[in-house]
Amino acid sequence: MNLSTRITTLLGDGGSDGWEVFLKARGMIKAGTPVVELTVGEHDILTAAPILQQMHVEAMNGHTGYALVPGIDELRETVAARVQARTGVVTTVDNVMITPGGQSALFAAHNAALDPGDTALFLDPYYATYPGTLRSVSAIPHPVATRAEDAFQPRAADLEAAAKETGARSLLINSPNNPTGTVYGAETMQGIADVCINNDMWLISDEVYDTQVWEGDHISPRALDGMAERTLVVGSMSKSHAMTGSRCGWIVGPAEAIEAMIHLATNTTYGVPGYIQRAAKFALEQGEAFEAEIAEPFRRRRGIASDIIARQNTVGLIPAQGAMYLMLDVRATGLSGLDFAYALLDAHKIAVMPGESFGTAAAGHIRVAMTIDDARFADALSTLCAFAEGLVSEK
Ligand code: PMP
């Protein structure tokens, strides 16, 4: 039987799917070779025991049946209050739908914003699932390149030109950014808002790293003038509370958009388990100090990395303002990010993601996930820098 064009073309034809270095590393590990993995965005700590205990208690108390599809009121209220407190935008349960993680929220948001054949803008470098998510709703993904020399802050003029050229109906942004570690400043965000308003576009704002900000402030564009009615914010417990496997996130937006997305959820996910939602509410109630604790190892390792990188001048660091990644410029070695990543894996059994995995704008860069313990992380970074310097002196 023939499969649909939509599903068979979901991944596009971008040549490299970006995962080859990662898969090679996993293959080596399976064959018994130890590899230092600086690839995926997964904490090196587990979900905190009190959250798991709460999950257990809630499950034992009977919250194991179907939960309300939009999310239980208590969690929707908690998320609404949190968003309102952080942004100043009036937010109620009607503005919130609980989803199985941020990824599902991204799917719902684009489903709500786009008709088949509509163009959807997103920024390159990008998180791996973005183009596929856009194709999954039969939209046309249109990347807009950001530049290393701008520390990957998007330029409003580039977005405006792309919006005009394509007649795009939506723009997807992610700040703090995976893979670049960039946090969009006030000027960038205002520029983005202006483009959306001028071109009557939806803004989908992926804010799953909003608790991991090392420099500057996280700005939610929903709080900017004229944006609440056209912004769909994606949030998640995954990164902020080390709950990646619990699959609990949310979408925040105008009440009529949420209502429409609830119909989508009824016909797709059918909601999130009640015991997970109750544990998520408990986790959110632990407050900002707990979130800072979860983020702390990345803040610390970013400091360790900055010191190591400052001692040499072959590898460049894109200012790491947020999220659990570093974007390193290895162009001075003359290698592509992909070739550098392969060479590093072969020579030193250290696995990183090539910048080319995230589109074309981060070519000649590598992404390092700060997701191993401090001592091994420092060792790996020192080895990486020395390796890059060695490549330059061989030239
Ligand atoms: N957006 C970005 C930018 C991410 O990095 C991730 C996870 N790596 C997600 C969304 C999805 O996360 P989840 O579905 O676990 O909330």
Side-chain angles (χ1 to χ4, degrees), residues 254-274:
E256 61 278 16
I258 296 296
E259 203 184 321
M261 285 185 276
I262 293 169
H263 298 309
L264 176 72
T266 303
N267 290 283
T268 52
T269 64
Y270 217 79
V272 175

Side-chain angles (χ1 to χ4, degrees), residues 288-310:
E288 290 191 2
F290 178 74
E291 291 163 22
E293 217 177 285
I294 302 291
E296 184 52 30
F298 306 121
R299 179 192 296 279
R300 219 172 44 228
R301 291 168 199 158
R302 167 194 180 258
I304 293 170
S306 304
D307 290 347
I308 293 169
I309 291 165

Side-chain angles (χ1 to χ4, degrees), residues 99-179:
T99 61
Q103 185 56 48
S104 174
L106 284 166
F107 175 73
H110 286 97
N111 224 301
L114 298 163
D115 280 314
D118 281 343
T119 296
L121 303 182
F122 65 111
L123 293 157
D124 178 351
Y126 50 80
Y127 172 52
T129 68
Y130 282 3
T133 304
L134 300 174
R135 287 191 201 98
S136 75
V137 299
S138 300
I140 301 168
H142 186 93
V144 179
T146 55
R147 305 155 207 243
E149 71 260 32
D150 297 340
F152 298 108
Q153 297 266 341
R155 293 187 189 180
D158 292 343
L159 289 170
E160 182 67 37
K164 287 275 173 321
E165 180 197 326
T166 61
R169 198 158 164 198
S170 67
L171 166 63
L172 167 59
I173 63 167
N174 170 224
S175 174
N177 188 270
N178 175 12

Side-chain angles (χ1 to χ4, degrees), residues 101-103 106 127 130 174 178 206 208-209 236 238-239 247:
Q103 185 56 48
L106 284 166
Y127 172 52
Y130 282 3
N174 170 224
N178 175 12
D206 178 345
V208 303
Y209 292 101
S236 175
S238 287
K239 313 291 175 175
R247 312 309 302 134

Side-chain angles (χ1 to χ4, degrees), residues 181-395:
T182 301
V183 174
Y184 295 174
E187 203 183 316
T188 300
M189 277 302 187
Q190 190 56 56
I192 286 168
D194 292 344
V195 172
C196 290
I197 291 170
N198 292 343
N199 295 281
D200 198 20
M201 295 192 305
W202 283 99
L203 180 63
I204 290 92
S205 180
D206 178 345
E207 303 181 18
V208 303
Y209 292 101
D210 66 349
T211 62
Q212 298 180 3
V213 178
W214 326 127
E215 236 175 61
D217 292 311
H218 169 67
I219 299 171
S220 178
R222 179 167 173 264
L224 301 180
D225 274 358
M227 289 306 291
E229 69 214 52
R230 59 174 70 249
T231 305
L232 301 170
V233 176
V234 170
S236 175
M237 299 300 291
S238 287
K239 313 291 175 175
S240 56
H241 293 76
M243 291 179 69
T244 49
S246 292
R247 312 309 302 134
C248 189
W250 55 82
I251 182 102
V252 170
E256 61 278 16
I258 296 296
E259 203 184 321
M261 285 185 276
I262 293 169
H263 298 309
L264 176 72
T266 303
N267 290 283
T268 52
T269 64
Y270 217 79
V272 175
Y275 57 93
I276 299 276
Q277 294 194 60
R278 283 164 200 278
K281 176 177 184 285
F282 169 84
L284 288 170
E285 284 167 356
Q286 304 313 300
E288 290 191 2
F290 178 74
E291 291 163 22
E293 217 177 285
I294 302 291
E296 184 52 30
F298 306 121
R299 179 192 296 279
R300 219 172 44 228
R301 291 168 199 158
R302 167 194 180 258
I304 293 170
S306 304
D307 290 347
I308 293 169
I309 291 165
R311 281 186 232 125
Q312 52 82 62
N313 45 30
T314 302
V315 174
L317 173 63
I318 299 295
Q321 300 165 309
M324 50 175 82
Y325 314 98
L326 304 173
M327 184 60 89
L328 303 182
D329 184 347
V330 295
R331 287 177 290 182
T333 64
L335 296 186
S336 67
L338 185 65
D339 289 342
F340 184 92
Y342 270 129
L344 182 68
L345 182 60
D346 288 342
H348 294 289
K349 315 285 176 275
I350 296 172
V352 297
M353 292 295 282
E356 292 84 357
S357 308
F358 310 104
T360 58
H365 290 69
I366 53 169
R367 189 194 75 174
V368 170
M370 300 187 278
T371 46
I372 58 170
D373 70 75
D374 296 17
R376 285 170 69 229
F377 180 70
D379 266 359
L381 251 248
S382 301
T383 305
L384 186 158
C385 288
F387 178 66
E389 287 184 292
L391 290 173
V392 172
S393 57
E394 273 171 26
K395 276 211 293 189

